[in-house]
Amino acid sequence: MIPRVHKQGKRTLGLLSYLYGPGTHEEHTDPHLVASFDGLAPDPGRDPHATLKDLQQLLDQPLGLRPKSQRPDEHVWHCSVRAAPGDRVLSDEEWGDIARRMVVATGIAPDEAGCRWAAVRHADDHIHIVATLVREDGRRPRHHRSGQKAQAECRLIEAEYGLHRVSPGDGTAAKRSTSAERRKAERQGRQQTPREELRESVRRAVAGASTEAEFFDRLASAGLLVRTRVAPSGDLLGYTVALPGDRNGKGEPVWFSGAKLAPDLSLPRIRERLAQDPEQITDTDNERNADSGKRGTVGPAQARRNAATAAWDATPDLDTNAGDGAASAQIAAAGEVLDALAKTSAAATRHELREAARAFERASRSHVRAQHRQSRALRRAARELIYGGPALGRGEDGAGTAMVIDTLLFIVVAAARWHSEHQHAQQAAAARQAAEHLRAAYRAASATPMAAMRERGRRLPAAARSQHASTVRTTLPALAERLLAERGWDALAATLTDIEQAGHDTGTLLSQAAGRRELDSAESVSDVLVWRLRRLADLPADSPAQPASALRATASRQPAAQQHGRQEQRRHRS
């Protein structure tokens, strides 16, 4: 059940005319009262002798108890209460009881001398409560934070009525688009409201940015109108953005400040991130990126590999005693990586990655103050993704995308678990939703590279496959039978061959890959191990086909004693 306290108004009659009218967007069917302050208010919907003016005059009568100079300019309080999709249809009596509970809980009418109010129903799934903000005793009501109080009461109502339980909020959610904004977007054929489009664009501009100048350059490059607020001293105080085609009735741009888009997009909050420069990279990083021509910039495939490594290294901060500030920072930075990945994704994964980034946006904010210095590596990874450019979606780029999505999935699942432990219900639900989109994106990104690796694995000599199976049984006895039965076993066998040919010990790397992170949330354990092993061994994300002679050479390098032992094992099993 979702309550919404609307902006206070000046005209009771105007609001009643809308509630009892046909509606401007939704069909208003059978408008009528379900409850009122005294139970005797005239109902213009059911009583042919009652008029809207009669109801308005009755509600506004307490205004006369105050001198004109002391009457509130905006005296109309308006709250809508809507059932969740899928809830049963409530009766008028039930809605009337809900209305009475809401006016008490919000402070509108907590006692017999409270404000006058009426509840109108014109659809199956919601009611509107109208009240005049002067009490029967002439005093003003104490309705501070009525929106939060309404939310708390709705949680109790849901439990008592057996309705869908909406996750409670904590005041950190981005402001929702108004009904007027949604209707305007529909008229213009937009998939999102301007507020939502601007929120995504600003978040992408923040992702991996290192200076305010870079942030504002990205906003301009995204085609947004940008206006800054500067103090007399020359210091920048804030900013507003607008879409070029979004105009008000006067033909002027409709501006939104960063804080109105989302709490973490205000200039002070953005500065907290920028204070930890993601370009503070090591000499090793500079050497790795020397061929790129730009400090901190790599190609799309390498950027994805680096992002996978950063996500792998960041996940323990959500599982250990690193501190809530570190965990909050890593979650926020993971959101930046998702924004950057969605911006540079190939067509096959673009939709699901964008949906994952949109969902995770809610999970990236809480009241826990982020220690952004802890998330430099992830913010640097976001920066590399942005400047590395779009992936082609095939070859090393496509396989690199699958690798980073697979790793990001674990940090998103860890974020859901962390939020649940801290009773952040909305954030936990958002992270779980993002995880589902990431799984869909992974399936699209991994289809081609995993098919190629599975084909290579199937073509391995029997001796090589047997050797890898023996290594798995010895190293991971608890997972061995599951791995050998999974469809991805062939790809894992091909990867173990690549590791062996690169001079690594397969058992050691396999133990590291399985031991450092949980595998319970994985749809395919073999797929997860493939990407972890290829990253740990610094192998190409894709697995190019190898000639049969190379595969035979791998089998011939096995010690004779090992081959004899495996033959004995096969005879024993048979």
Side-chain angles (χ1 to χ4, degrees), residues 171-428:
T172 62
K175 186 175 181 180
R176 292 181 297 177
S177 299
T178 66
S179 58
E181 290 171 354
R182 291 193 296 271
R183 290 197 291 270
K184 182 179 178 181
E186 290 176 5
R187 290 196 304 270
Q188 295 176 345
R190 295 179 181 270
Q191 296 297 316
Q192 295 176 287
T193 65
R195 185 191 299 271
E196 292 165 341
E197 287 188 40
L198 289 168
R199 184 184 301 133
E200 285 192 19
S201 296
V202 175
R203 288 187 67 84
R204 291 175 186 170
V206 173
S210 60
T211 65
E212 287 184 27
E214 181 182 8
F215 167 63
F216 285 112
D217 284 345
R218 288 190 188 180
L219 291 179
S221 297
L224 305 185
L225 302 179
V226 183
R227 190 170 62 182
T228 56
R229 184 163 57 92
V230 181
S233 63
D235 294 332
L236 183 61
L237 299 178
Y239 73 98
T240 55
V241 289
L243 292 177
D246 185 29
R247 304 277 170 166
N248 59 21
K250 298 179 180 179
E252 300 168 337
V254 180
W255 297 96
F256 293 86
S257 67
K260 286 187 177 180
L261 297 177
D264 58 338
L265 296 182
S266 67
L267 187 59
R269 295 292 294 277
I270 288 175
R271 280 172 171 161
E272 291 178 7
R273 301 194 203 190
L274 302 184
Q276 309 301 326
D277 184 358
E279 286 200 323
Q280 294 177 5
I281 55 181
T282 64
D283 291 339
T284 301
D285 292 324
N286 283 325
E287 292 172 4
R288 183 189 65 202
N289 302 330
D291 61 337
S292 68
K294 179 178 176 65
R295 184 175 181 262
T297 304
V298 296
Q302 186 61 47
R304 279 152 177 73
R305 175 181 289 274
N306 295 346
T309 299
W312 170 269
D313 293 337
T315 305
D317 281 351
L318 279 69
D319 296 328
T320 65
N321 296 323
D324 287 346
S328 181
Q330 298 291 21
I331 292 172
E336 293 190 40
V337 174
L338 280 173
D339 284 325
L341 192 63
K343 182 177 181 178
T344 59
S345 58
T349 56
R350 186 176 303 138
H351 172 73
E352 292 295 346
L353 286 174
R354 286 180 176 175
E355 291 301 314
R358 286 171 185 166
F360 197 73
E361 182 261 346
R362 179 66 188 97
S364 65
R365 287 189 308 275
S366 71
H367 284 302
V368 178
R369 200 69 169 184
Q371 297 175 358
H372 290 291
R373 64 179 180 277
Q374 303 288 344
S375 59
R376 286 176 181 169
L378 273 178
R379 296 204 70 243
R380 181 170 62 243
R383 180 182 182 81
E384 289 182 343
L385 287 168
I386 293 292
Y387 286 104
L392 299 176
R394 58 179 181 272
E396 175 75 0
D397 283 351
T401 298
M403 176 184 286
V404 71
I405 292 174
D406 177 81
T407 312
L408 282 172
L409 182 57
F410 281 89
I411 199 170
V412 168
V413 169
R417 184 167 53 247
W418 184 85
H419 279 305
S420 293
E421 291 171 353
H422 289 72
Q423 285 76 53
H424 302 160
Q426 289 187 356
Q427 291 91 331

Side-chain angles (χ1 to χ4, degrees), residues 103-117:
V103 295
V104 171
T106 56
I108 294 298
D111 51 49
E112 293 183 356
C115 300
R116 294 189 177 186
W117 60 273

